[in-house]
Amino acid sequence: MVSPQVRREQLDFVRGRGLSLRRACGLIGMSRATPGYALRQRAKDAPVMAAMRDLSAQYPRYGYRRIRVFLRSDNGPEFVSQAILEWITHLGIATVLNDPGKPWQNGTDESFDGKFRDECLSIEWFRSRREAAVLIEAWRIHYNAVRPHSSLGYLTPNEFKQHQHPQPQPAIF
């Protein structure tokens, strides 16, 4: 499958050879409206790129070593944007993609997503965004403050966090 950008380049090449727009589009197999299409994706990408820029500025280095940053993605549509891919490449951030159909490569997120879907999204019927925000926030508070987790020794995440004390490291002489 050829990307739209490559098709536009092919169209420019064929038109440069002297063919009319109608014939060039017919030859390449695209609509005559396509060359005049203006990309609207840039405005949608701005908030994601701004948040990622803020995070990368907040944690640039640790000591004398650069922190290795990986952006994990499941090949979803939010990271198809050319602007984000260019920005990631410019900053030298490595991408780690989950193979399609292999959710175990990101088990923690998949486990949480399943619980969130089963315990919140499948049970509720949201009539507005505001109602969704309120109900999801109530579920989040229940998940973190009320519901015990077997992986945390049947403590809630808030209780588990309170019980964690940093273990002093022994000095090495």
Side-chain angles (χ1 to χ4, degrees):
M1 187 164 147
V2 181
S3 71
Q5 181 61 34
V6 172
R7 286 186 154 202
R8 285 190 191 98
E9 291 170 6
Q10 291 172 345
L11 183 70
D12 292 340
F13 177 76
V14 173
R15 295 231 24 225
R17 298 279 189 157
L19 270 78
S20 68
L21 176 63
R22 182 177 183 168
R23 286 193 177 199
C25 287
L27 179 68
I28 294 172
M30 64 189 290
S31 167
R32 283 186 283 165
T34 304
Y37 176 74
L39 187 63
R40 292 180 286 168
Q41 199 75 359
R42 302 256 184 228
K44 272 178 56 179
D45 297 338
V48 174
M49 289 181 65
M52 292 172 76
R53 191 178 300 115
D54 291 344
L55 285 172
S56 65
Q58 186 177 1
Y59 303 105
R61 295 185 179 273
Y62 178 74
Y64 60 90
R65 292 174 289 182
R66 184 157 184 85
I67 294 176
R68 292 192 49 111
V69 177
F70 294 99
L71 181 65
R72 181 170 289 280
S73 173
D74 61 352
N75 302 312
E78 64 273 12
F79 292 109
V80 174
S81 168
Q82 188 65 30
I84 291 179
L85 292 175
E86 290 172 3
W87 179 76
I88 289 171
T89 305
H90 174 71
L91 290 180
I93 297 174
T95 56
V96 180
L97 299 176
N98 294 344
D99 295 328
K102 296 187 179 176
W104 55 84
Q105 292 178 342
N106 197 5
T108 304
D109 287 346
E110 293 295 331
S111 174
F112 174 79
D113 290 348
K115 287 179 178 69
F116 180 56
R117 183 179 52 249
D118 294 342
E119 298 174 9
C120 181
L121 298 179
S122 295
I123 294 173
E124 302 292 343
W125 181 268
F126 306 118
R127 291 175 291 229
S128 68
R129 288 184 181 183
R130 182 69 185 140
E131 181 183 13
V134 169
L135 291 173
I136 289 170
E137 178 63 16
W139 180 85
R140 186 189 68 79
I141 291 169
H142 174 79
Y143 184 84
N144 289 325
V146 177
R147 182 181 181 272
H149 297 253
S150 61
S151 63
L152 302 177
Y154 294 98
L155 297 172
T156 67
N158 291 350
E159 292 170 343
F160 183 78
K161 186 177 178 182
Q162 290 173 355
H163 286 66
Q164 292 300 311
H165 300 291
Q167 299 296 323
Q169 297 294 323
I172 299 176
F173 294 103

